[in-house]
Amino acid sequence: MNTWLGLDHVQLAAPVGCEEEARSFFSGILGMKEVPKPEALRKRGGVWFQCGPQTIHIGAEEGFTPAKKAHPAFLVKNIEGLRHRLLEAGVTIKQGEEIPGVIRFFADDPFGNRLEFMEVTTE
């Protein structure tokens, strides 16, 4: 039987030519460091970012449609600082239903994909 170790990466789709806008949002606003794509995959377009031990792959897709329900949930420290940065950048924040011990909210990336941001306040 195999052993599950966790997630390596999450891929979010975006329109072809998305790279600079993705860099502006994921690096510029969220503060994620861009990581180089392997040479063999660069021709596909898109861009990758480090998110803790995992990576976020923004993949360029013909006929792109944003994910409005399915979403990654990012665990963060200092969620209020992140909320402030997003609001300053003109990103709309949507409050999620309360979960005991968790502060959370939703926002869309520049391509309309739903993202969740969470900070655990109790262990």
Side-chain angles (χ1 to χ4, degrees):
M1 172 145 309
N2 61 302
T3 301
W4 295 100
L5 300 177
L7 292 174
D8 177 76
H9 69 274
V10 171
Q11 179 159 329
L12 294 170
V16 173
C18 65
E19 293 79 9
E20 287 311 310
E21 198 169 6
R23 286 180 179 104
S24 178
F25 182 78
F26 287 92
S27 282
I29 297 172
L30 298 184
M32 293 181 186
K33 180 183 174 194
E34 183 176 347
V35 295
K37 289 181 69 170
E39 183 67 39
L41 301 179
R42 289 183 193 159
K43 63 185 174 220
R44 297 180 185 176
V47 62
W48 294 2
F49 301 95
Q50 195 67 48
C51 179
Q54 295 82 29
T55 54
I56 304 301
H57 296 184
I58 308 302
E61 179 178 57
E62 292 286 341
F64 164 74
T65 301
K68 294 298 191 182
K69 175 108 176 129
H71 63 276
F74 299 99
L75 284 173
V76 301
K77 288 186 180 178
N78 187 16
I79 196 166
E80 293 308 322
L82 175 61
R83 181 192 313 264
H84 181 72
R85 280 197 321 277
L86 288 165
L87 289 170
E88 274 190 338
V91 176
T92 301
I93 302 293
K94 300 166 208 131
Q95 280 305 127
E97 293 178 20
E98 253 187 68
I99 297 175
V102 176
I103 301 168
R104 70 186 192 130
F105 63 83
F106 295 88
D108 289 345
D109 73 9
F111 317 111
N113 294 308
R114 182 180 194 202
L115 307 175
E116 182 175 0
F117 301 96
M118 306 172 63
E119 182 170 14
V120 176
T121 59
T122 60
E123 306 250 339

CSV table of all heavy atoms in Angstrom, one decimal, residues 25-54:
chain,number,residue,atom,x,y,z
A,25,PHE,N,0.4,39.9,-9.1
A,25,PHE,CA,-0.5,39.5,-8.0
A,25,PHE,C,0.2,38.5,-7.0
A,25,PHE,O,0.3,38.8,-5.8
A,25,PHE,CB,-1.8,38.8,-8.5
A,25,PHE,CG,-2.8,38.4,-7.5
A,25,PHE,CD1,-3.6,39.4,-6.9
A,25,PHE,CD2,-2.9,37.1,-7.1
A,25,PHE,CE1,-4.5,39.0,-5.9
A,25,PHE,CE2,-3.8,36.7,-6.1
A,25,PHE,CZ,-4.6,37.7,-5.5
A,26,PHE,N,0.7,37.4,-7.5
A,26,PHE,CA,1.2,36.4,-6.6
A,26,PHE,C,2.5,36.8,-5.9
A,26,PHE,O,2.7,36.5,-4.7
A,26,PHE,CB,1.3,35.0,-7.3
A,26,PHE,CG,0.0,34.4,-7.5
A,26,PHE,CD1,-0.7,34.6,-8.7
A,26,PHE,CD2,-0.6,33.6,-6.5
A,26,PHE,CE1,-2.0,34.0,-8.9
A,26,PHE,CE2,-1.9,33.0,-6.7
A,26,PHE,CZ,-2.5,33.2,-7.9
A,27,SER,N,3.4,37.5,-6.6
A,27,SER,CA,4.6,38.0,-6.0
A,27,SER,C,4.4,39.4,-5.5
A,27,SER,O,4.7,39.6,-4.3
A,27,SER,CB,5.8,38.0,-7.1
A,27,SER,OG,6.3,36.7,-7.3
A,28,GLY,N,3.9,40.3,-6.3
A,28,GLY,CA,3.8,41.7,-5.9
A,28,GLY,C,2.9,41.9,-4.7
A,28,GLY,O,3.2,42.6,-3.8
A,29,ILE,N,1.7,41.3,-4.7
A,29,ILE,CA,0.7,41.6,-3.7
A,29,ILE,C,0.8,40.5,-2.6
A,29,ILE,O,0.9,40.9,-1.4
A,29,ILE,CB,-0.7,41.7,-4.3
A,29,ILE,CG1,-0.8,42.8,-5.2
A,29,ILE,CG2,-1.7,41.8,-3.1
A,29,ILE,CD1,-2.1,42.9,-6.0
A,30,LEU,N,0.8,39.2,-3.0
A,30,LEU,CA,0.8,38.2,-2.0
A,30,LEU,C,2.2,37.9,-1.4
A,30,LEU,O,2.3,37.4,-0.3
A,30,LEU,CB,0.2,36.9,-2.6
A,30,LEU,CG,-1.2,36.9,-3.0
A,30,LEU,CD1,-1.6,35.5,-3.5
A,30,LEU,CD2,-2.1,37.4,-1.9
A,31,GLY,N,3.2,38.3,-2.1
A,31,GLY,CA,4.6,38.1,-1.6
A,31,GLY,C,5.2,36.8,-1.8
A,31,GLY,O,6.2,36.4,-1.1
A,32,MET,N,4.6,36.0,-2.7
A,32,MET,CA,5.2,34.6,-3.0
A,32,MET,C,6.4,34.8,-3.9
A,32,MET,O,6.4,35.6,-4.8
A,32,MET,CB,4.2,33.7,-3.6
A,32,MET,CG,3.0,33.3,-2.7
A,32,MET,SD,1.9,32.2,-3.6
A,32,MET,CE,0.6,32.1,-2.4
A,33,LYS,N,7.4,34.0,-3.7
A,33,LYS,CA,8.6,34.0,-4.5
A,33,LYS,C,8.4,33.2,-5.8
A,33,LYS,O,7.9,32.1,-5.7
A,33,LYS,CB,9.8,33.5,-3.8
A,33,LYS,CG,11.1,33.5,-4.5
A,33,LYS,CD,12.2,32.8,-3.7
A,33,LYS,CE,13.4,32.7,-4.6
A,33,LYS,NZ,14.4,31.9,-4.1
A,34,GLU,N,8.7,33.8,-6.9
A,34,GLU,CA,8.6,33.0,-8.2
A,34,GLU,C,9.7,32.0,-8.2
A,34,GLU,O,10.9,32.2,-7.8
A,34,GLU,CB,8.8,33.9,-9.4
A,34,GLU,CG,8.6,33.2,-10.7
A,34,GLU,CD,8.6,34.1,-11.9
A,34,GLU,OE1,8.6,35.3,-11.8
A,34,GLU,OE2,8.8,33.5,-13.0
A,35,VAL,N,9.4,30.8,-8.7
A,35,VAL,CA,10.4,29.7,-8.9
A,35,VAL,C,10.4,29.3,-10.3
A,35,VAL,O,9.4,29.4,-11.0
A,35,VAL,CB,10.1,28.5,-8.0
A,35,VAL,CG1,10.2,28.8,-6.5
A,35,VAL,CG2,8.7,27.9,-8.3
A,36,PRO,N,11.6,29.0,-10.8
A,36,PRO,CA,11.8,28.7,-12.3
A,36,PRO,C,11.1,27.4,-12.6
A,36,PRO,O,11.1,26.4,-11.9
A,36,PRO,CB,13.3,28.6,-12.5
A,36,PRO,CG,13.9,28.6,-11.2
A,36,PRO,CD,12.9,29.0,-10.1
A,37,LYS,N,10.4,27.5,-13.8
A,37,LYS,CA,9.8,26.2,-14.3
A,37,LYS,C,10.9,25.4,-15.0
A,37,LYS,O,11.9,26.0,-15.5
A,37,LYS,CB,8.7,26.6,-15.4
A,37,LYS,CG,7.5,27.2,-14.8
A,37,LYS,CD,6.5,27.5,-15.9
A,37,LYS,CE,5.9,26.2,-16.5
A,37,LYS,NZ,4.8,26.4,-17.4
A,38,PRO,N,10.8,24.1,-15.0
A,38,PRO,CA,11.8,23.3,-15.8
A,38,PRO,C,11.8,23.7,-17.2
A,38,PRO,O,10.7,24.1,-17.8
A,38,PRO,CB,11.3,21.9,-15.6
A,38,PRO,CG,10.4,21.9,-14.3
A,38,PRO,CD,9.8,23.3,-14.3
A,39,GLU,N,12.9,23.7,-17.8
A,39,GLU,CA,13.1,24.1,-19.2
A,39,GLU,C,12.1,23.5,-20.1
A,39,GLU,O,11.5,24.1,-21.0
A,39,GLU,CB,14.5,23.8,-19.7
A,39,GLU,CG,14.8,24.3,-21.1
A,39,GLU,CD,14.8,25.8,-21.3
A,39,GLU,OE1,15.4,26.5,-20.4
A,39,GLU,OE2,14.4,26.3,-22.3
A,40,ALA,N,11.8,22.2,-20.0
A,40,ALA,CA,10.9,21.5,-20.9
A,40,ALA,C,9.5,22.0,-20.8
A,40,ALA,O,8.7,21.8,-21.7
A,40,ALA,CB,11.0,20.0,-20.6
A,41,LEU,N,9.1,22.6,-19.7
A,41,LEU,CA,7.7,23.1,-19.5
A,41,LEU,C,7.5,24.5,-19.8
A,41,LEU,O,6.4,25.0,-19.8
A,41,LEU,CB,7.3,22.8,-18.0
A,41,LEU,CG,7.4,21.3,-17.6
A,41,LEU,CD1,6.9,21.2,-16.1
A,41,LEU,CD2,6.5,20.4,-18.5
A,42,ARG,N,8.6,25.3,-20.0
A,42,ARG,CA,8.5,26.7,-20.2
A,42,ARG,C,7.7,27.1,-21.4
A,42,ARG,O,7.0,28.1,-21.5
A,42,ARG,CB,9.9,27.4,-20.2
A,42,ARG,CG,10.5,27.4,-18.9
A,42,ARG,CD,11.9,28.1,-18.9
A,42,ARG,NE,12.5,27.8,-17.6
A,42,ARG,CZ,13.8,27.8,-17.5
A,42,ARG,NH1,14.6,28.3,-18.4
A,42,ARG,NH2,14.3,27.5,-16.3
A,43,LYS,N,7.8,26.3,-22.5
A,43,LYS,CA,7.1,26.6,-23.7
A,43,LYS,C,5.6,26.6,-23.6
A,43,LYS,O,4.9,27.2,-24.4
A,43,LYS,CB,7.5,25.6,-24.8
A,43,LYS,CG,7.2,24.2,-24.5
A,43,LYS,CD,7.7,23.2,-25.6
A,43,LYS,CE,7.4,21.8,-25.1
A,43,LYS,NZ,8.4,20.9,-25.4
A,44,ARG,N,5.1,26.0,-22.5
A,44,ARG,CA,3.6,26.0,-22.3
A,44,ARG,C,3.1,27.3,-21.7
A,44,ARG,O,1.9,27.5,-21.6
A,44,ARG,CB,3.3,24.9,-21.3
A,44,ARG,CG,3.6,23.5,-21.7
A,44,ARG,CD,3.3,22.5,-20.7
A,44,ARG,NE,3.7,21.2,-21.0
A,44,ARG,CZ,3.6,20.1,-20.2
A,44,ARG,NH1,3.0,20.2,-19.0
A,44,ARG,NH2,4.0,18.9,-20.6
A,45,GLY,N,4.0,28.1,-21.3
A,45,GLY,CA,3.6,29.4,-20.6
A,45,GLY,C,3.3,29.1,-19.2
A,45,GLY,O,3.5,28.1,-18.6
A,46,GLY,N,2.8,30.2,-18.5
A,46,GLY,CA,2.5,30.1,-17.1
A,46,GLY,C,3.7,30.4,-16.3
A,46,GLY,O,4.7,30.7,-16.8
A,47,VAL,N,3.5,30.4,-14.9
A,47,VAL,CA,4.5,30.8,-14.0
A,47,VAL,C,4.3,30.0,-12.7
A,47,VAL,O,3.1,29.7,-12.3
A,47,VAL,CB,4.5,32.3,-13.8
A,47,VAL,CG1,3.2,32.8,-13.3
A,47,VAL,CG2,5.7,32.8,-13.0
A,48,TRP,N,5.3,29.7,-11.9
A,48,TRP,CA,5.2,29.0,-10.7
A,48,TRP,C,5.7,29.9,-9.5
A,48,TRP,O,6.6,30.7,-9.7
A,48,TRP,CB,6.1,27.8,-10.7
A,48,TRP,CG,5.7,26.7,-11.7
A,48,TRP,CD1,4.6,26.7,-12.5
A,48,TRP,CD2,6.3,25.4,-11.8
A,48,TRP,NE1,4.6,25.6,-13.3
A,48,TRP,CE2,5.6,24.7,-12.8
A,48,TRP,CE3,7.4,24.8,-11.2
A,48,TRP,CZ2,5.9,23.5,-13.2
A,48,TRP,CZ3,7.7,23.6,-11.7
A,48,TRP,CH2,7.0,22.9,-12.6
A,49,PHE,N,5.1,29.7,-8.3
A,49,PHE,CA,5.4,30.4,-7.1
A,49,PHE,C,5.5,29.5,-5.9
A,49,PHE,O,4.8,28.5,-5.8
A,49,PHE,CB,4.3,31.4,-6.8
A,49,PHE,CG,4.1,32.4,-7.9
A,49,PHE,CD1,3.1,32.2,-8.9
A,49,PHE,CD2,4.9,33.5,-8.0
A,49,PHE,CE1,3.0,33.1,-9.9
A,49,PHE,CE2,4.8,34.4,-9.1
A,49,PHE,CZ,3.8,34.2,-10.0
A,50,GLN,N,6.4,29.8,-5.0
A,50,GLN,CA,6.6,29.0,-3.8
A,50,GLN,C,5.6,29.5,-2.7
A,50,GLN,O,5.4,30.7,-2.5
A,50,GLN,CB,8.1,29.3,-3.2
A,50,GLN,CG,8.5,28.2,-2.2
A,50,GLN,CD,8.6,26.9,-2.8
A,50,GLN,OE1,9.2,26.7,-3.9
A,50,GLN,NE2,8.0,25.9,-2.2
A,51,CYS,N,5.0,28.5,-2.1
A,51,CYS,CA,4.0,28.8,-1.1
A,51,CYS,C,4.3,27.8,0.1
A,51,CYS,O,3.7,26.7,0.1
A,51,CYS,CB,2.6,28.6,-1.7
A,51,CYS,SG,1.3,28.8,-0.5
A,52,GLY,N,5.1,28.2,1.0
A,52,GLY,CA,5.5,27.2,2.1
A,52,GLY,C,6.3,26.1,1.4
A,52,GLY,O,7.1,26.4,0.4
A,53,PRO,N,6.1,24.9,1.7
A,53,PRO,CA,6.8,23.8,1.1
A,53,PRO,C,6.2,23.4,-0.3
A,53,PRO,O,6.8,22.6,-1.0
A,53,PRO,CB,6.8,22.6,2.1
A,53,PRO,CG,5.5,22.9,2.9
A,53,PRO,CD,5.4,24.4,2.9
A,54,GLN,N,5.1,23.9,-0.6
A,54,GLN,CA,4.4,23.6,-1.9
A,54,GLN,C,4.6,24.7,-2.9
A,54,GLN,O,5.1,25.8,-2.6
A,54,GLN,CB,2.9,23.4,-1.7
A,54,GLN,CG,2.5,22.2,-0.8
A,54,GLN,CD,2.6,22.5,0.7
A,54,GLN,OE1,2.4,23.7,1.1
A,54,GLN,NE2,2.9,21.5,1.5
